Amino acid sequence: MQREPLRETIRRALTDRIVSGELASGDPIRLVATAEELGVSVTPLRESLVQLEIDRFVDSSPGRGYSVAAMTVLEVEEVYPLIWTLEALALRLAPPTPEQRTLLSELNGRFRACEDPSEAHDLDREWHRMLLSQCQNQTLLEFLSLLKRRGARYEVAFMSEMQRARSSRSADQHDEIVACLESGDHDRAVTVLEQNWQLGPSVLLPWLAAR
């Protein structure tokens, strides 16, 4: 098995910290201190930060170095339509098998009952991953994964600050998507999937505007 390049390991570690809120919006990323903390040299860290800036997780400025990118209304408005469009395409390309539909229903039951915001977010993400698990278009899935990580940063911050999990409406939509797939109504399943992702901006945009 091929070992992951060090810069990718660093990139993933920093992304996880940003998404979780451990590194918050505007926090400086000090090269020497961060490299020591991660047990790496400054060179691969700097390479990772260059890619993270391309991915829109960090910003840089001359003389001030790197910092965690601010969360903005514009990013939510740009990212979420791409997420629901690409998820819809992936679902059209390869809907889940009957066995996976059963697992999706079971997983959604756990999601519906969950009251812990962080766990609910993880269950929701796992449900969407399983929904698309038959899709073999790796370029689509890789791009979608990046967009979802950008969106997850907002969702985690929102749920942490508001101390609430997703509404029951999201779980209802999950059930409807599976029911549509069971009946062969793939067009309706795609429509509800898009509506499911539209719940994100409906709560995130007012929250961001009020901060």
Side-chain angles (χ1 to χ4, degrees), residues 11-26:
R11 177 186 173 195
R12 182 162 43 82
L14 290 176
T15 301
D16 288 346
R17 293 184 183 191
I18 293 170
V19 169
S20 71
E22 182 180 343
L23 287 172
S25 177

Side-chain angles (χ1 to χ4, degrees), residues 113-157:
C114 184
E115 297 182 357
D116 177 76
S118 177
E119 184 180 353
H121 180 269
D122 291 344
L123 289 169
D124 185 43
R125 281 293 180 265
E126 176 61 18
W127 190 92
H128 283 271
R129 186 203 63 77
M130 187 179 296
L131 181 70
L132 306 182
S133 58
Q134 290 296 107
C135 182
Q136 300 301 307
N137 187 325
Q138 292 304 308
T139 300
L140 186 159
L141 294 176
E142 288 169 8
F143 187 39
L144 186 54
S145 177
L146 171 60
L147 292 170
K148 285 183 177 181
R149 287 198 302 273
R150 288 174 63 180
R153 181 185 175 207
Y154 289 81
E155 294 172 11
V156 170

